[in-house]
Structures are given as C-alpha cells and as structure tokens.
Amino acid sequence: MKILVTGGAGFIGSHLVEELLSNENEILIFDNCLTGKKENLEMTGNFKFIIDDFGSENSLEEIEKFDPDVCFHLAAQSSVVVSVENPALDFEHNILQPIKLIQVLLKSNCKKLVFTSSGGTIFGEPSVIPTAEEDYADEPESPYGVAKKRLNELIKIMTNNSNLKYSILNLSNVYGPRQDPHGEAGVVSIFANKYLNNEEPIIYGDGEQSRDYVYVKDVVSALIKASTIDKNHFLNIGTGVETSVNNLANSMKRQFNSEINPIYKPAREGELNRSVLNNTKAKKELDWKPEYNLDEGMKQVFNWLKA
Ligand SMILES: NC(=O)c1ccc[n+]([C@@H]2O[C@H](COP(=O)([O-])OP(=O)(O)OC[C@H]3O[C@@H](n4cnc5c(N)ncnc54)[C@H](O)[C@@H]3O)[C@@H](O)[C@H]2O)c1
C-alpha cells in the first residue's frame, strides 16, 4: 500500500512510521523538522523522507505524483504555548497547509485521511467526565485548539460527497519514548527526566488538575486500525482513566525509589482543570482498546531516557 505520512519525524509520527514499515508498505514522509528530528527516522525500510513543509508547492506536486492510498496527517505546529505567542504561524501549519493537502488528496485516489486532532484542546472545560464525543462543550481556549477544531470541520465539509473517507481522532495526552523531555508539554517525559537526574519536577497549580495519559503505541494501533475501515470517524482516543498531576508525580517517585518531592508554582493560564476522554465509541468502532497502563508506559519512557 502507498502511504503518505505528514509529521513523520515527530514523536507520534516516528512510532507510526516504525509500525507501518513492519508491513509491505511504501511510505512517503514529509516533515519540516519544526519540532521533529531526523534522528527519529533512523530506521530502515521502504520509505522516502522529504524535509519540507507538506504544503509547499514542491511537496504538493510530490504528493500528487505519489498518489497515496492512505494519508496519515500528523504534521502540526504542536505547541499550545507557541500558538498563543504566534497564532499566524499556527494558522499557517495547522489550517492553511492542511487545506491545500486535502485539495490534492481529493484529486487523487486516496481512500482514507486519518487526522490527529486533540481531545484536550478543541473544547473548553468539560462538564461531563470522562467526556464523550457528543459531550464536548464551549469553545477552545487557544489558537491551537481553534485550528484543530476548525480543521475537523473543514475535513468533514471538504470530503463530503467524495471518495475520500476521514478518521478524525481526538487524542488525549500522549506519552512515550521520543517525546521531548525538555519541552513544555509531555509531562510524563519531563517528570521522568527530572527524577532520573535527581531534580525536583515542577507542578503548576495545586497538582489536582487531571489528564488522560495514553501510551504512544496504543495511539499508533488506533491510527492504523482507523485507516483500514472504509467509514468516516470522529472518535476519542484515550484511556478513560483520570490521573492527577500529584498522582503522576507520586507514582513516579515510587517507581524510581526517589526521595525527591515536586516544587509547586502558580497555575498557568488556559490550562483545563480536568480532561479525560470517554473511549467507548472508539473501542466499538475500531475494535481497539489501550493495552498499556500508566506504570507500564512509564517504565518504557524511563528505559528510553536511561538509554
Ligand atoms: N502529543 C500529544 O499529546 C497530542 C495530543 C493531541 C493531538 N496531538 C497531535 O498529534 C500530532 C503529532 O503530535 P506529536 O506529539 O508527535 O508532536 P510533534 O511536534 O512531535 O509532531 C509534529 C510534527 O509535525 C512537523 N511539522 C509541523 N508543521 C509542519 C509542516 N507544515 N510540514 C511538515 N511537517 C510539519 C514537526 O516538525 C513535527 O515533527 C499533531 O498533529 C498533534 O497536534 C498530539
């Protein structure tokens, strides 16, 4: 199968490529290395990696020539903080270029577009926990969330009455090896890195804010399953398990046999108090379920950081 992956040198994208390479696939990857790394794709197999915006004129021509069967669209300006500081940059990568990509896909023989949307940012503070697809309320609180939400809508409208089906997957907080432990997101990697170096992790606010941490390999299996189903999807991909930041820090402390306690700093603006996704619909429609619990996933992150 011919598969296009945008954002393939990123955290989730590189795990996806690794998995896709284990089957007989021909893969074309675009990544401009805004946050992705060439080293993430140090693997062998039938793939071509182009370092460029997927929405540049040259890239769109390449995509047209490649004529993919499936497109996994993961490329994004992926930082909420950057989107607040530079909404125009966010709009360029997360709305404008994706529109051009969809236009090319609509002219091709591509049958499926799988898009990684964001369960934690496309809507505001949820009133129902765990939040199902139909429970989402309020408007996004960041330009990143606005772009993800609007692109969801554009995908639905633009693919209407076409042969291109979509799977929009609203991911919860994804964690795993290769997630940047020095960034401002990816609290599992950040905390694990701190404990490994005997430094105090920082908790913003009282630490009672909760998240739904889903392991990257579980996300990859959902993406791949979705790509094989000839149906439109709008699904949450998370564990449905609520974990507070305090609990996360405590279980890491136990796991690493550490005596170190977190430092508390004032809460950051725009962060949700609670965010946990109901995954019932994905379990049914994709015949999928998360296989990793947080302890197992944390061990993988820890081993990766040590290596
Ligand atoms: N990590 C999470 O918890 C999470 C949660 C919800 C949604 N998502 C979404 O999943 C996708 C992957 O996220 P990630 O965590 O791997 O982040 P990431 O930053 O590691 O991956 C995004 C990749 O896209 C690349 N990129 C950005 N703009 C591009 C462009 N115009 N052309 C080509 N490449 C471009 C970046 O260099 C990077 O490699 C993103 O769409 C993100 O918004 C992630």
Side-chain angles (χ1 to χ4, degrees):
M1 198 148 58
K2 284 193 285 177
I3 299 179
L4 171 67
V5 181
T6 72
F11 158 50
I12 304 173
S14 60
H15 285 276
L16 172 67
V17 169
E18 199 165 50
E19 190 58 37
L20 291 171
L21 285 174
S22 61
N23 289 312
E24 301 267 301
N25 293 310
E26 183 186 352
I27 306 175
L28 176 63
I29 302 167
F30 288 92
D31 200 299
N32 61 5
C33 292
L34 193 67
T35 46
K37 297 183 187 81
K38 274 198 278 185
E39 308 86 85
N40 284 346
L41 287 176
E42 276 171 4
M43 42 185 97
T44 49
N46 190 7
F47 71 92
K48 181 176 175 186
F49 172 29
I50 298 177
I51 302 182
D52 194 0
D53 281 3
F54 64 89
S56 74
E57 222 170 284
N58 283 342
S59 301
L60 294 171
E61 268 173 33
E62 282 282 339
I63 293 169
E64 209 172 326
K65 269 193 270 161
F66 183 64
D67 194 15
D69 300 301
V70 172
C71 169
F72 290 94
H73 176 48
L74 277 70
Q77 183 304 105
S78 58
S79 158
V80 171
V81 174
V82 170
S83 82
V84 173
E85 287 164 3
N86 193 345
L89 178 90
D90 193 80
F91 193 80
E92 164 65 29
H93 295 291
N94 294 0
I95 290 278
L96 283 183
Q97 290 193 28
I99 289 176
K100 294 180 196 167
L101 172 68
I102 299 167
Q103 283 174 320
V104 170
L105 295 179
L106 284 168
K107 286 190 282 175
S108 75
N109 290 304
C110 189
K111 296 279 176 296
K112 193 72 188 246
L113 166 63
V114 182
F115 171 54
T116 47
S117 187
S118 160
T121 61
I122 52 174
F123 297 93
E125 194 69 46
S127 49
V128 185
I129 292 280
T131 314
E133 292 78 358
E134 61 277 10
D135 293 331
Y136 286 132
D138 292 339
E139 282 300 302
E141 294 179 0
S142 64
Y144 171 84
V146 170
K148 287 284 181 188
K149 184 176 183 186
R150 295 301 166 228
L151 186 55
N152 289 351
E153 289 157 0
L154 282 164
I155 289 173
K156 290 178 189 173
I157 291 167
M158 290 176 72
T159 59
N160 199 13
N161 292 324
S162 80
N163 292 327
L164 181 62
K165 296 275 190 302
Y166 63 80
S167 292
I168 297 170
L169 303 185
N170 305 313
L171 312 183
S172 64
N173 282 60
V174 190
Y175 71 98
R178 299 195 197 121
Q179 191 166 33
D180 184 1
H182 307 288
E184 93 286 330
V187 67
V188 175
S189 277
I190 296 170
F191 279 17
N193 197 39
K194 290 281 186 190
Y195 278 115
L196 199 62
N197 292 310
N198 287 319
E199 292 167 11
E200 292 102 343
I202 298 164
I203 292 181
Y204 295 95
D206 64 4
E208 284 309 300
Q209 64 273 38
S210 64
R211 295 292 180 265
D212 176 343
Y213 298 102
V214 62
Y215 189 61
V216 65
K217 292 217 182 297
D218 283 328
V219 170
V220 166
S221 77
L223 292 169
I224 292 178
K225 281 191 173 215
S227 75
T228 62
I229 301 172
D230 183 26
K231 224 185 117 189
N232 291 327
H233 294 123
F234 179 73
L235 299 172
N236 287 342
I237 301 296
T239 63
V241 178
E242 182 168 23
T243 307
S244 73
V245 180
N246 285 331
N247 278 343
L248 178 73
N250 281 332
S251 30
M252 267 197 203
K253 193 178 153 183
R254 266 199 316 277
Q255 191 153 134
F256 298 162
N257 278 326
S258 170
E259 293 299 313
I260 290 174
N261 287 313
I263 303 173
Y264 288 85
K265 291 201 173 172
R268 291 189 291 196
E269 236 178 88
E271 278 197 68
L272 298 182
N273 281 325
R274 296 176 81 194
S275 174
V276 187
L277 302 184
N278 182 329
N279 59 13
T280 311
K281 205 171 151 199
K283 281 179 171 163
K284 197 165 153 230
E285 293 197 20
L286 301 183
D287 188 23
W288 165 90
K289 66 176 176 20
E291 301 289 346
Y292 289 78
N293 66 34
L294 191 53
D295 277 349
E296 289 158 349
M298 267 188 321
K299 265 187 213 135
Q300 305 287 331
V301 173
F302 188 56
N303 290 339
W304 170 72
L305 285 169
K306 267 207 301 199

